[in-house]
């Protein structure tokens, strides 16, 4: 699987740890930055990651900032992205099984590295259930995207 990953200054260290984990699991990782601890703007990293996912250049995306909130908000502005802000293992599994999330957001100042790595491992290793009820809900989300893309 190819994973695009990005972080702002608040998540750069955790990004590097998650990148290493994903590579150790056999995934290809495209690191879209940032690569410093100087203050940067999270949308500048969320959008390129999401564009890779929407275009099919990456299968999934992972975003990290201080809380994960900013990254998640920015990511979900991109049609076709279902980004989930996750800070526990149960939610990581559920958002893949039920929502078919294609981008994971986490907060480096909210979860420690051990838990974050377990969340990432669980999220990337969980498949969408494909249950009709979940597919119907995702179609409804897509119809909302379509409606507001045409009528801002």
């Amino acid at each position: 699987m190819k994973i695009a990953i990005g972080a702002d200054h608040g998540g750069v260290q955790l990004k590097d740890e998650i990148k290493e984990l994903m590579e150790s699991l056999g995934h290809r990782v495209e690191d879209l930055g940032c690569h410093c601890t100087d203050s940067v703007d999270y949308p500048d990293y969320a959008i390129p990651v999401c564009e890779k996912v929407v275009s099919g250049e990456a299968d999934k995306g992972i975003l990290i900032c201080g809380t994960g909130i900013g990254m998640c908000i920015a990511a979900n502005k991109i049609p076709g992205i279902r980004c989930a802000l996750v800070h526990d293992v149960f939610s990581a599994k559920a958002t893949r099984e039920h929502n078919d999330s294609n981008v994971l957001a986490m907060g480096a100042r909210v979860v420690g590295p051990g838990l974050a790595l377990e969340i990432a491992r669980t999220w990337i290793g969980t498949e969408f259930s494909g249950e009709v009820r979940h597919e119907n809900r995702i179609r409804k989300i897509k119809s909302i995207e379509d409606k507001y893309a045409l009528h801002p």
Side-chain angles (χ1 to χ4, degrees):
M1 182 180 306
K2 184 167 183 189
I3 302 162
I5 192 167
D8 72 358
H9 58 283
V12 67
Q13 182 176 344
L14 183 56
K15 172 188 62 78
D16 293 341
E17 292 180 41
I18 291 172
K19 176 181 174 183
E20 185 177 306
L21 170 67
M22 292 297 120
E23 290 172 340
S24 77
L25 295 173
H27 302 295
R28 292 177 296 134
V29 180
E30 183 173 359
D31 185 342
L32 297 169
C34 83
H35 304 287
C36 66
T37 55
D38 299 334
S39 183
V40 297
D41 298 330
Y42 54 81
D44 296 340
Y45 300 92
I47 301 311
V49 166
C50 293
E51 287 174 342
K52 294 281 184 180
V53 172
V54 168
S55 73
E57 294 177 63
D59 301 298
K60 302 266 187 305
I62 299 175
L63 298 169
I64 303 129
C65 65
T67 63
I69 296 167
M71 286 289 200
C72 187
I73 291 170
N76 282 314
K77 298 298 181 186
I78 305 295
I81 292 298
R82 289 178 306 282
C83 181
L85 175 59
V86 175
H87 293 134
D88 63 86
V89 174
F90 174 81
S91 298
K93 185 172 173 30
T95 192
R96 285 290 308 128
E97 287 179 341
H98 297 188
N99 311 114
D100 197 17
S101 59
N102 51 12
V103 177
L104 171 67
M106 287 189 285
R109 296 178 185 145
V110 178
V111 296
L115 177 56
L117 293 173
E118 189 59 31
I119 289 167
R121 179 191 310 271
T122 299
W123 184 79
I124 209 71
T126 302
E127 295 294 323
F128 176 54
S129 73
E131 291 180 37
V132 172
R133 65 189 172 123
H134 299 308
E135 288 178 348
N136 289 339
R137 293 168 185 160
I138 292 168
R139 272 195 296 278
K140 286 182 179 188
I141 291 169
K142 170 106 175 64
S143 72
I144 293 167
E145 286 178 344
D146 294 345
K147 176 182 176 181
Y148 289 97
L150 298 173
H151 307 288

